Amino acid sequence: MKNLAVVVMAAGMGTRMKSKTPKVLHPLLEKPLLWHVLQAVFALQPAKTVVVVGHQSEQVQARFTNQADFVVQSPQLGTGHAVQQARKVLGDHLDTVLVVPGDLPLLSGDTFRRMRDTFDPTLGPMLMLTVTRDNPQGFGRIVRDEAGFVSAIVEEADCTPEQKAIRELNVGAYIFNAQWLWQNLPRIPVSAKGEYYLTNLVGIAVSQGYRVQAVQVDNPAETLGVNTRAHLAQAESVLRQQVNQKWMEAGVTLVDPNTTYIGLDVTIGQDTVIYPNTYLLGQTTIGEDCEIGPNSYIIDSTVGNGCQVRFSVVEQAVMENNVDIGPFAHLRKGAHLAEGVHMGNFGEVKNAYLGPGTKMGHFSYLGDITTGKNVNIGAGTITCNYDGVKKNPTVIGDNAFIGSDTMLVAPVKIGNNARTGAGSVVTRDIPDDALAYGVPARVKSEKK
Ligand code: UD1
Ligand code: CA
């Protein structure tokens, strides 16, 4: 099976999502449905992958440029018609085609591998994936012959009462001998609804004397189809549980996995404890021995070892080792807190480097600032960094002590070991070792 191609059927309207966004672009743990499907089929290292798109095809293609080939199906005349559209892109140099639906994002690479490894082209030209489960969710029913091979797939609408009771269902993923597929797709009859059902290929193969092979999905949860927002939430819940399970197995404590939301690109170090209602999203890395949450939201950030984040929001920021923030701290883009920084309640830091050991206990805003080490930021300190036109920088030297309620009117520099009195409005640079106070602040030794 050297030449395997994949066809993803994703042209359906997704009407029941009631959305302006194409169904396959709806996110599941931050990644579009179609991303999950492609990720799984790439496990087979296909020679080519074609996605059949229809509804809002430009948007779908734009999101996945360079990851697959696309073919537009218009009008959408059913799954058989969808696969036929892929032929012109695939050409004739393939021996096997895996066809998968675009709306079953939980099917795994392992399942597709098992399909490929089970498929025996000498028995017949096709193999299909089935699932046995109590909720048929509108899936086609599998009818088997005495020998156990599949003799038909009957769509729910066409079922007799006996067939309707069958609990082995068509998942909608198939492997075909390519040559046979292209020869027989045009033989599919048109349905009462005016559509060409791919499922009719079973009857066609059987009528030609072939055996139709089938493998069953190990884990029925993989076959959850997303047709509505409720299904989307269910699928996300399944995936979230898988991800959370993986981190617990890796030595991370999740106090309440049901309220812990961890993205697929996140990494977490050993013996870190995640408290309830916490989101770790995007390209986020959390070190070892941290305590994160409860009620925290961290995205696209790097957190070192031994850090604490309580009731806080961290976006595009860096926390080095042994930094603690919160409750109610907000690190924004470009905030970099060096080793041992403490940031207490109601603080905001943006585009800033806070040197090692710096303390900022209460109610402060630091933006566009660089501090040295062991700086004390008094309660209520504010960088007045914006003059109405542009952002201006503040620089604070090592061991400086900024008194409570100091306004640092940028651009401004505070020297090493310098101090400001409570309520100072600092409009001019303060030299090393000096004390400045008042409004506007003057250095103590200056003549009044
Ligand atoms: C299909 C199967 C059914 C199976 C079910 C499970 C047929 C006739 N029925 O039913 O046996 O149990 O999937 O997944 O195949 N699509 C296109 N172009 C079209 C029509 C559909 O690309 O013209 C795509 C859809 O976007 C979707 C997939 O094919 O990703 C399945 O189509 P859908 O309409 O959802 O088929 P079902 O009614 O679910
Ligand atoms: Ca479907």
Side-chain angles (χ1 to χ4, degrees), residues 9-12 73 76-79 82 102-103 139-140 155 170-171 197 199:
M9 301 178 290
Q73 181 198 17
Q76 286 116 45
L77 300 178
T79 45
D103 58 354
F139 279 22
E155 293 305 304
N170 175 28
V171 176
Y197 294 159
T199 46

Side-chain angles (χ1 to χ4, degrees), residues 378-401:
T381 296
I382 303 289
T383 49
C384 309
N385 59 326
Y386 185 51
D387 57 16
V389 181
K390 63 181 193 307
K391 304 289 170 62
N392 298 296
T394 300
V395 177
I396 302 182
D398 293 345
N399 307 308
F401 184 97

Side-chain angles (χ1 to χ4, degrees), residues 8-14 16 23-24 51-54 73-83 85 99-104 107 128-129 131 133 136-142 153-156 169-174 193 195-200 223-227:
V8 181
M9 301 178 290
M13 298 283 284
R16 286 189 284 159
K23 177 160 90 175
V24 292
V51 183
V52 183
V53 287
Q73 181 198 17
S74 177
Q76 286 116 45
L77 300 178
T79 45
H81 182 251
V83 175
Q85 308 311 304
V99 175
V100 300
D103 58 354
L104 268 66
L107 285 174
M128 51 183 297
L129 186 64
V131 62
R133 60 172 203 209
Q137 215 193 9
F139 279 22
R141 307 299 200 273
I142 302 293
I153 304 171
V154 188
E155 293 305 304
E156 190 167 79
L169 312 168
N170 175 28
V171 176
Y174 320 83
K193 277 196 196 160
E195 293 193 2
Y196 299 88
Y197 294 159
L198 189 63
T199 46
N200 277 328
T223 64
L224 192 77
V226 175
N227 298 309

Side-chain angles (χ1 to χ4, degrees), residues 78-258:
T79 45
H81 182 251
V83 175
Q84 197 153 20
Q85 308 311 304
R87 184 178 184 178
K88 49 183 174 281
V89 182
L90 290 178
D92 291 323
H93 308 291
L94 300 155
D95 43 38
T96 313
V97 180
L98 170 70
V99 175
V100 300
D103 58 354
L104 268 66
L106 301 182
L107 285 174
S108 67
D110 282 348
T111 295
F112 294 138
R113 250 187 243 116
R114 218 151 52 76
M115 287 175 70
R116 179 195 58 192
D117 297 345
T118 311
F119 179 49
D120 179 354
T122 64
L123 281 176
M126 71 179 282
L127 173 145
M128 51 183 297
L129 186 64
T130 73
V131 62
T132 302
R133 60 172 203 209
D134 287 335
N135 175 9
Q137 215 193 9
F139 279 22
R141 307 299 200 273
I142 302 293
V143 182
R144 290 190 183 245
D145 64 19
E146 285 110 55
F149 291 96
V150 178
S151 56
I153 304 171
V154 188
E155 293 305 304
E156 190 167 79
D158 306 325
C159 280
T160 64
E162 296 78 46
Q163 288 170 333
K164 215 167 188 169
I166 295 173
R167 285 296 170 268
E168 188 181 12
L169 312 168
N170 175 28
V171 176
Y174 320 83
I175 286 193
F176 295 101
N177 171 297
Q179 234 190 329
W180 183 87
L181 177 67
W182 307 134
Q183 272 164 17
N184 289 279
L185 275 173
R187 300 193 175 137
I188 293 176
V190 66
S191 77
K193 277 196 196 160
E195 293 193 2
Y196 299 88
Y197 294 159
L198 189 63
T199 46
N200 277 328
L201 287 178
V202 171
I204 291 173
V206 170
S207 73
Q208 294 168 356
Y210 291 119
R211 292 179 148 168
V212 173
Q213 305 155 69
V215 291
Q216 290 225 20
V217 176
D218 284 332
N219 174 11
E222 282 192 18
T223 64
L224 192 77
V226 175
N227 298 309
T228 64
R229 309 249 184 179
H231 295 151
L232 190 67
Q234 280 170 30
E236 173 136 330
S237 162
V238 170
L239 204 57
R240 190 158 57 230
Q241 281 171 34
Q242 288 170 8
V243 171
N244 289 353
Q245 185 69 28
K246 176 187 91 175
W247 287 114
M248 290 189 283
E249 282 166 14
V252 175
T253 295
L254 306 187
V255 172
D256 181 10
N258 289 322

